[in-house]
Amino acid sequence: SIKIDRNFGPRLLLTGRWNQGVSRRISYLLAQRTTTGSDARTLTINARSVVRARLFNELSANSSSNASDNFSDLTDRLDATPLDVRDLVPSFAPASSSSTLSLPGQVQDYTIGPAVANRQVQAQIVDNVSWNTGRHGYRFGVDARRLTPAYGPTEYRSSVTFNTLSSLLATR
């Protein structure tokens, strides 16, 4: 995070802040590896000005973007032979496909491929004018905001169940 404040005389103050937070987590359940990540970025710029003795203006602009994703795959951990998601989905399935794999005698299912990839961008402008007249104070303002979320679920998901160990081994 970086913040900068700058006074331009007694009538104008500019501030700016940039922040980025990145997170990545990898966890294992037997041979399944799940990678979860997020990236948040924010830029804010503020201007405060004294127009006259009793007239003030505050202008703020903000831009932020957030992204998160979740991906699972099978690894060779514990001497397992990993399957790729392309082994379990039809050839026409898009590249962002995933599959849930059920094994004989197991309570746990395994998911291979992306689960979600969400994005959101926000832009905001706020402008306020304050006017003081002796006993009364007036404040006028505008707050404009634009949100552009993009929900990114898996485009194609299959579910594969192997009832016996020999049926699983026959697919290789």
Side-chain angles (χ1 to χ4, degrees):
S1 178
I2 297 172
K3 183 178 180 187
I4 298 173
D5 294 347
R6 175 76 165 105
N7 279 323
F8 292 91
R11 294 187 171 256
L12 179 62
L13 169 66
L14 292 179
T15 62
R17 181 176 181 188
W18 164 258
N19 184 43
Q20 181 175 9
V22 177
S23 169
R24 177 94 33 225
R25 178 176 175 252
I26 298 174
S27 61
Y28 288 90
L29 175 63
L30 299 177
Q32 181 180 11
R33 173 179 49 210
T34 301
T35 305
T36 305
S38 65
D39 184 1
R41 301 172 188 201
T42 305
L43 174 64
T44 303
I45 299 172
N46 298 304
R48 294 185 189 118
S49 64
V50 178
V51 180
R52 289 192 209 133
R54 296 182 177 185
L55 186 62
F56 306 95
N57 188 45
E58 294 179 66
L59 177 64
S60 212
N62 179 40
S63 173
S64 65
S65 67
N66 295 297
S68 64
D69 54 25
N70 187 316
F71 183 86
S72 296
D73 60 342
L74 294 179
T75 67
D76 60 359
R77 188 173 183 212
L78 306 174
D79 293 327
T81 302
L83 290 172
D84 186 78
V85 69
R86 303 308 302 169
D87 296 330
L88 301 172
V89 297
S91 60
F92 63 80
S96 65
S97 298
S98 68
S99 183
T100 300
L101 176 66
S102 300
L103 301 175
Q106 298 295 316
V107 176
Q108 175 68 41
D109 291 337
Y110 296 95
T111 299
I112 306 170
V116 69
N118 295 328
R119 309 281 180 264
Q120 177 165 305
V121 175
Q122 174 180 316
Q124 180 180 19
I125 295 177
V126 178
D127 191 11
N128 293 310
V129 175
S130 300
W131 178 35
N132 295 318
T133 61
R135 297 176 144 193
H136 301 284
Y138 301 95
R139 188 169 181 142
F140 306 94
V142 175
D143 184 342
R145 187 178 312 196
R146 178 180 170 94
L147 297 172
T148 53
Y151 176 59
T154 301
E155 292 181 57
Y156 182 93
R157 178 169 290 204
S158 69
S159 181
V160 179
T161 302
F162 293 99
N163 293 322
T164 64
L165 186 58
S166 59
S167 67
L168 169 64
L169 297 174
T171 63
R172 300 301 278 165

